[in-house]
mmCIF file of all heavy atoms in Angstrom:
data_model
loop_
_atom_site.group_PDB
_atom_site.id
_atom_site.type_symbol
_atom_site.label_atom_id
_atom_site.label_comp_id
_atom_site.label_asym_id
_atom_site.label_seq_id
_atom_site.Cartn_x
_atom_site.Cartn_y
_atom_site.Cartn_z
ATOM 1 N N GLU A 1354 -7.916 -1.073 60.175
ATOM 2 C CA GLU A 1354 -9.166 -1.247 60.916
ATOM 3 C C GLU A 1354 -10.397 -0.806 60.140
ATOM 4 O O GLU A 1354 -11.504 -1.269 60.400
ATOM 5 C CB GLU A 1354 -9.116 -0.433 62.218
ATOM 6 C CG GLU A 1354 -8.083 -0.868 63.224
ATOM 7 C CD GLU A 1354 -8.067 0.055 64.422
ATOM 8 O OE1 GLU A 1354 -7.896 1.284 64.216
ATOM 9 O OE2 GLU A 1354 -8.251 -0.436 65.549
ATOM 10 N N ARG A 1355 -10.209 0.128 59.198
ATOM 11 C CA ARG A 1355 -11.347 0.772 58.550
ATOM 12 C C ARG A 1355 -12.300 -0.200 57.854
ATOM 13 O O ARG A 1355 -13.518 -0.078 58.004
ATOM 14 C CB ARG A 1355 -10.854 1.852 57.589
ATOM 15 C CG ARG A 1355 -11.948 2.865 57.202
ATOM 16 C CD ARG A 1355 -11.346 4.039 56.447
ATOM 17 N NE ARG A 1355 -10.375 4.714 57.264
ATOM 18 C CZ ARG A 1355 -9.108 4.924 56.915
ATOM 19 N NH1 ARG A 1355 -8.671 4.519 55.736
ATOM 20 N NH2 ARG A 1355 -8.286 5.559 57.717
ATOM 21 N N PRO A 1356 -11.813 -1.195 57.090
ATOM 22 C CA PRO A 1356 -12.758 -2.099 56.421
ATOM 23 C C PRO A 1356 -13.646 -2.872 57.402
ATOM 24 O O PRO A 1356 -14.844 -3.041 57.159
ATOM 25 C CB PRO A 1356 -11.836 -3.041 55.632
ATOM 26 C CG PRO A 1356 -10.589 -2.250 55.419
ATOM 27 C CD PRO A 1356 -10.418 -1.438 56.657
ATOM 28 N N ARG A 1357 -13.074 -3.333 58.510
ATOM 29 C CA ARG A 1357 -13.861 -4.087 59.489
ATOM 30 C C ARG A 1357 -14.938 -3.211 60.114
ATOM 31 O O ARG A 1357 -16.104 -3.625 60.227
ATOM 32 C CB ARG A 1357 -12.932 -4.636 60.583
ATOM 33 C CG ARG A 1357 -13.671 -5.363 61.706
ATOM 34 C CD ARG A 1357 -12.698 -5.831 62.775
ATOM 35 N NE ARG A 1357 -12.020 -4.737 63.435
ATOM 36 C CZ ARG A 1357 -12.548 -4.049 64.458
ATOM 37 N NH1 ARG A 1357 -13.775 -4.325 64.903
ATOM 38 N NH2 ARG A 1357 -11.862 -3.072 65.030
ATOM 39 N N LEU A 1358 -14.565 -2.005 60.513
ATOM 40 C CA LEU A 1358 -15.541 -1.111 61.123
ATOM 41 C C LEU A 1358 -16.597 -0.672 60.109
ATOM 42 O O LEU A 1358 -17.782 -0.561 60.438
ATOM 43 C CB LEU A 1358 -14.830 0.110 61.719
ATOM 44 C CG LEU A 1358 -13.945 -0.167 62.938
ATOM 45 C CD1 LEU A 1358 -13.086 1.049 63.262
ATOM 46 C CD2 LEU A 1358 -14.785 -0.569 64.138
ATOM 47 N N GLY A 1359 -16.175 -0.429 58.874
ATOM 48 C CA GLY A 1359 -17.133 -0.046 57.840
ATOM 49 C C GLY A 1359 -18.133 -1.143 57.553
ATOM 50 O O GLY A 1359 -19.338 -0.888 57.376
ATOM 51 N N ALA A 1360 -17.674 -2.399 57.515
ATOM 52 C CA ALA A 1360 -18.576 -3.526 57.280
ATOM 53 C C ALA A 1360 -19.558 -3.688 58.442
ATOM 54 O O ALA A 1360 -20.749 -3.977 58.234
ATOM 55 C CB ALA A 1360 -17.769 -4.810 57.081
ATOM 56 N N ALA A 1361 -19.071 -3.490 59.667
ATOM 57 C CA ALA A 1361 -19.951 -3.579 60.838
ATOM 58 C C ALA A 1361 -20.998 -2.470 60.795
ATOM 59 O O ALA A 1361 -22.173 -2.692 61.143
ATOM 60 C CB ALA A 1361 -19.119 -3.491 62.117
ATOM 61 N N ALA A 1362 -20.593 -1.274 60.358
ATOM 62 C CA ALA A 1362 -21.554 -0.176 60.236
ATOM 63 C C ALA A 1362 -22.626 -0.503 59.202
ATOM 64 O O ALA A 1362 -23.819 -0.273 59.432
ATOM 65 C CB ALA A 1362 -20.822 1.116 59.854
ATOM 66 N N ALA A 1363 -22.215 -1.036 58.053
ATOM 67 C CA ALA A 1363 -23.178 -1.367 57.004
ATOM 68 C C ALA A 1363 -24.193 -2.394 57.489
ATOM 69 O O ALA A 1363 -25.395 -2.276 57.215
ATOM 70 C CB ALA A 1363 -22.435 -1.881 55.772
ATOM 71 N N ALA A 1364 -23.722 -3.402 58.224
ATOM 72 C CA ALA A 1364 -24.632 -4.423 58.738
ATOM 73 C C ALA A 1364 -25.606 -3.833 59.748
ATOM 74 O O ALA A 1364 -26.801 -4.173 59.755
ATOM 75 C CB ALA A 1364 -23.819 -5.556 59.376
ATOM 76 N N ALA A 1365 -25.110 -2.946 60.597
ATOM 77 C CA ALA A 1365 -25.989 -2.331 61.599
ATOM 78 C C ALA A 1365 -26.990 -1.393 60.944
ATOM 79 O O ALA A 1365 -28.159 -1.319 61.365
ATOM 80 C CB ALA A 1365 -25.145 -1.584 62.635
ATOM 81 N N TYR A 1366 -26.563 -0.652 59.906
ATOM 82 C CA TYR A 1366 -27.517 0.204 59.191
ATOM 83 C C TYR A 1366 -28.625 -0.630 58.571
ATOM 84 O O TYR A 1366 -29.802 -0.255 58.605
ATOM 85 C CB TYR A 1366 -26.799 1.008 58.103
ATOM 86 C CG TYR A 1366 -26.192 2.305 58.576
ATOM 87 C CD1 TYR A 1366 -24.858 2.610 58.301
ATOM 88 C CD2 TYR A 1366 -26.938 3.236 59.288
ATOM 89 C CE1 TYR A 1366 -24.295 3.804 58.731
ATOM 90 C CE2 TYR A 1366 -26.386 4.423 59.720
ATOM 91 C CZ TYR A 1366 -25.061 4.703 59.432
ATOM 92 O OH TYR A 1366 -24.513 5.888 59.855
ATOM 93 N N GLU A 1367 -28.266 -1.760 57.999
ATOM 94 C CA GLU A 1367 -29.295 -2.618 57.400
ATOM 95 C C GLU A 1367 -30.249 -3.140 58.464
ATOM 96 O O GLU A 1367 -31.460 -3.181 58.256
ATOM 97 C CB GLU A 1367 -28.643 -3.778 56.649
ATOM 98 C CG GLU A 1367 -29.665 -4.635 55.918
ATOM 99 C CD GLU A 1367 -29.063 -5.579 54.904
ATOM 100 O OE1 GLU A 1367 -27.845 -5.487 54.652
ATOM 101 O OE2 GLU A 1367 -29.816 -6.401 54.363
ATOM 102 N N ALA A 1368 -29.709 -3.507 59.628
ATOM 103 C CA ALA A 1368 -30.560 -3.961 60.733
ATOM 104 C C ALA A 1368 -31.509 -2.859 61.184
ATOM 105 O O ALA A 1368 -32.615 -3.125 61.663
ATOM 106 C CB ALA A 1368 -29.688 -4.421 61.901
ATOM 107 N N ALA A 1369 -31.068 -1.601 61.012
ATOM 108 C CA ALA A 1369 -31.909 -0.460 61.402
ATOM 109 C C ALA A 1369 -32.908 -0.078 60.316
ATOM 110 O O ALA A 1369 -33.689 0.851 60.492
ATOM 111 C CB ALA A 1369 -31.022 0.740 61.726
ATOM 112 N N GLY A 1370 -32.879 -0.786 59.182
ATOM 113 C CA GLY A 1370 -33.813 -0.497 58.104
ATOM 114 C C GLY A 1370 -33.336 0.555 57.139
ATOM 115 O O GLY A 1370 -34.109 1.027 56.302
ATOM 116 N N LEU A 1371 -32.071 0.938 57.232
ATOM 117 C CA LEU A 1371 -31.526 1.966 56.340
ATOM 118 C C LEU A 1371 -30.795 1.249 55.209
ATOM 119 O O LEU A 1371 -29.595 1.048 55.251
ATOM 120 C CB LEU A 1371 -30.569 2.875 57.109
ATOM 121 C CG LEU A 1371 -30.335 4.267 56.523
ATOM 122 C CD1 LEU A 1371 -31.620 5.089 56.543
ATOM 123 C CD2 LEU A 1371 -29.263 5.000 57.309
#
Side-chain angles (χ1 to χ4, degrees):
E1354 295 176 304
R1355 198 170 300 124
R1357 176 182 63 83
L1358 292 169
Y1366 274 129
E1367 185 166 353
L1371 203 65

